Amino acid sequence: MSLRFAVAVAVLIVAIEAKKYYNNNPEFSVEEQWQEFEEFLKWKKLREAREDNPREIKYEKYNHENHDMYKPEKDRQIRANSDGPPPIDQAALMARYIVNQADWVPVSTISTRKDIQSFPAVTLVSHADGILGNGTGIPYLYLTPLDFTAQDLAKDNRASVLLTLAQGDYCKSKKWDPMDPRCARVLMSGRIVPLKNDSAELDLAKKVFFERHPGLVGMPADHHFYFAKLKIMTIAVLDTFGGPKYVSVKDYLHPPIANITEEFNRRFPRDSYEGRSQDYNSNMLNPVVRSI
């Protein structure tokens, strides 16, 4: 009881000192003062509850400008960032965002090399799922039989790919290590299959791939490059603390939001990628082939 009383007195003293401080600093508005004080009280209350009932409340720790805060999982509010990835409660859309942002992907196959036969092996492959801000969600790859990946796939086309926001500047701007769970990534497994000749999907893959990888146009004919896609079977997203989220292929291709095209266009204003493609108005979020 005495401890509670002492804490209450301490809070009152902090409030008085805070009032004095803000009165001497007119650049802080009354609303900002109250918000700061409310945040402190919430943090203090939740910390006490955590100490009294450590097993009854789940907390998520996140960075605040001045200090670490704890919020109950059920009460956390997630706001969309128009300049960054979707909220962490939209795993399907997050996966689509990561895949669309990536320019290359590590592809893991079952090796056919004599020295590491049947071992997992990884190579880097250029990738595109569509123009920035408007992707199909399907990883399109440009492969050559001269590479280990294609050689492995010829015998066993099972593969896994890992795409991450660590490729760009987003995680760096947050000062997040690539291993930090908040530096979002998606692991996809399935089978890599060549695209059919003279198909609409092959035409689409060529168009979007070479728009994002113009340096690969005109590769030597004797390298026999061909386009392939990952026929997705499983999807696991890690974008925050607490472990991966598993997304169904159906939800991934058709994210459960009202209008995914509108959502992407909101996050990527046209002027941010206008000029990179002549067809930025096209709705490529709906794949040519619904059943991959």
Side-chain angles (χ1 to χ4, degrees):
M1 185 68 181
S2 59
L3 178 61
R4 297 286 184 184
F5 178 76
V7 170
V9 172
V11 171
L12 181 61
I13 293 173
V14 169
I16 295 173
E17 291 300 319
K19 184 176 181 181
K20 290 180 180 178
Y21 173 78
Y22 288 124
N23 286 339
N24 295 328
N25 291 272
E27 67 270 16
F28 289 95
S29 67
V30 174
E31 183 179 351
E32 288 173 332
Q33 296 175 31
W34 182 248
Q35 184 178 358
E36 286 284 335
F37 185 60
E38 277 191 328
E39 287 181 354
F40 169 76
L41 291 179
K42 285 181 180 179
W43 171 79
K44 179 182 173 302
K45 182 179 179 181
L46 292 171
R47 186 174 181 179
E48 289 176 354
R50 180 168 59 95
E51 291 172 351
D52 293 341
N53 302 286
R55 296 184 179 181
E56 293 184 8
I57 303 177
K58 288 185 177 180
Y59 293 87
E60 177 194 8
K61 186 177 181 179
Y62 69 96
N63 288 331
H64 188 265
E65 284 184 4
N66 301 318
H67 52 268
D68 288 334
M69 299 281 289
Y70 287 85
K71 296 188 72 176
E73 202 170 45
K74 65 180 182 180
D75 291 336
R76 78 170 170 252
Q77 297 178 352
I78 305 166
R79 295 187 176 90
N81 182 353
S82 60
D83 296 323
I88 59 175
D89 63 345
Q90 297 181 15
L93 189 58
M94 177 67 80
R96 290 288 293 265
Y97 178 89
I98 298 169
V99 171
N100 182 249
Q101 288 292 288
D103 286 324
W104 50 267
V105 56
V107 179
S108 176
T109 55
I110 300 171
S111 180
T112 57
R113 282 172 45 189
K114 291 182 179 180
D115 53 342
I116 56 169
Q117 193 167 6
S118 79
F119 278 62
V122 180
T123 53
L124 187 150
V125 179
S126 293
H127 136 89
D129 83 318
I131 60 175
L132 282 173
N134 207 3
T136 66
I138 301 175
Y140 291 116
L141 312 173
Y142 198 39
L143 304 174
T144 170
L146 301 180
D147 186 65
F148 292 130
T149 300
Q151 294 171 17
D152 295 342
L153 294 172
K155 185 172 182 179
D156 188 335
N157 66 352
R158 290 178 297 169
S160 292
V161 301
L162 179 69
L163 305 101
T164 171
L165 293 184
Q167 282 191 37
D169 295 329
Y170 178 74
C171 294
K172 292 179 181 178
S173 69
K174 299 287 186 180
K175 297 183 179 179
W176 291 341
D177 188 89
M179 278 187 64
D180 191 312
R182 295 167 296 180
C183 187
R185 72 209 72 166
V186 57
L187 174 65
M188 294 180 168
S189 298
R191 296 182 181 274
I192 294 179
V193 297
L195 298 184
K196 295 180 179 180
N197 291 330
D198 301 321
S199 66
E201 189 174 20
L202 177 59
D203 292 338
L204 170 64
K206 287 181 179 179
K207 180 175 179 58
V208 300
F209 186 89
F210 288 134
E211 283 180 351
R212 293 185 63 170
H213 300 280
L216 295 180
V217 176
M219 296 298 285
D222 59 359
H223 284 39
H224 303 290
F225 274 86
Y226 64 95
F227 281 96
K229 69 177 179 180
L230 177 67
K231 195 167 185 179
I232 306 167
M233 298 174 65
T234 66
I235 303 166
V237 178
L238 182 65
D239 57 4
T240 188
F241 301 100
K245 306 163 188 174
Y246 297 94
V247 179
S248 71
V249 176
K250 180 180 178 181
D251 285 346
Y252 173 74
L253 292 178
H254 311 281
I257 60 175
N259 189 330
I260 187 171
T261 303
E262 182 179 317
E263 179 71 6
F264 263 81
N265 288 335
R266 183 180 70 80
R267 298 179 187 282
F268 295 91
R270 290 178 180 174
D271 57 5
S272 69
Y273 56 89
E274 188 173 4
R276 300 186 191 182
S277 168
Q278 297 299 317
D279 297 325
Y280 57 84
N281 282 317
S282 63
N283 179 14
M284 287 164 43
L285 293 168
N286 298 316
V288 172
V289 181
R290 290 288 185 179
S291 176
I292 65 168

